[in-house]
Amino acid sequence: MRETRRIAVVGASVNPQRPVWQVMMVLAEHGYDVIPVGPKVAGKVIDGMPGYASLAEIPGKVDMVDVFRNPQVVPEIARQAIAIGAKTLWLQPGTVNLQAVTEARDAGLQVITELCPKIEIYRSGLSAELKGRGSHQ
């Protein structure tokens, strides 16, 4: 997480009550460039973060793809993460698909499963280190 700068969040939502929205806000508060991805956020701006329909539409480099989607669609998301050159595929609790894990690892991506980056930032002690490093405050 220290080397990660840009995080695409697949399955993003405009609803502040959804866990994905809360995770996006915490990541942004800790200086990450968060990119909401999904059909419901395409063309919208969420708290200053422009949304895209797919990973392929994101301009520039993406370091990490954080997934909030049904496990059945995760292999395709993993393939898209590989195609855009992401370094990490992060599968939130309940999103793990073993085929996607294998494909991503075989392509050289770091794969993290069954954890949440929001929780890990606080649990690991990275919060104080990261907070304020970015421009999203």
Side-chain angles (χ1 to χ4, degrees):
M1 297 283 302
R2 283 181 178 90
E3 291 82 34
T4 298
R5 294 290 182 231
R6 292 188 84 209
I7 302 174
V9 179
V10 179
S13 175
V14 296
N15 182 348
Q17 303 304 313
R18 305 274 308 182
V20 65
W21 189 90
Q22 296 163 15
V23 168
M24 290 189 315
M25 294 305 118
V26 168
L27 292 172
E29 288 169 6
H30 284 84
Y32 295 102
D33 179 9
V34 177
I35 307 150
V37 178
K40 295 179 181 177
V41 299
K44 297 181 179 168
V45 177
I46 303 168
D47 201 35
M49 299 175 282
Y52 296 89
S54 70
L55 292 173
E57 294 179 14
I58 300 171
K61 178 180 152 197
V62 172
D63 298 311
M64 183 172 104
V65 175
D66 186 13
V67 181
F68 283 83
R69 292 291 312 274
N70 184 303
Q72 293 174 329
V73 301
V74 173
E76 180 55 33
I77 295 166
R79 289 181 205 111
Q80 291 175 22
I82 294 164
I84 66 167
K87 296 176 184 165
T88 303
L89 178 66
W90 192 302
L91 303 178
Q92 291 283 341
T95 69
V96 176
N97 178 295
L98 295 180
Q99 177 186 350
V101 170
T102 300
E103 287 184 30
R105 284 191 177 141
D106 287 351
L109 275 70
Q110 175 183 17
V111 179
I112 300 168
T113 63
E114 298 295 345
L115 295 172
C116 175
K118 171 187 164 189
I119 293 168
E120 293 307 304
I121 284 172
Y122 293 111
R123 188 187 64 75
S124 68
L126 278 174
S127 180
E129 181 182 329
L130 297 174
K131 195 114 175 159
R133 78 172 180 181
S135 59
H136 191 88
Q137 299 291 319

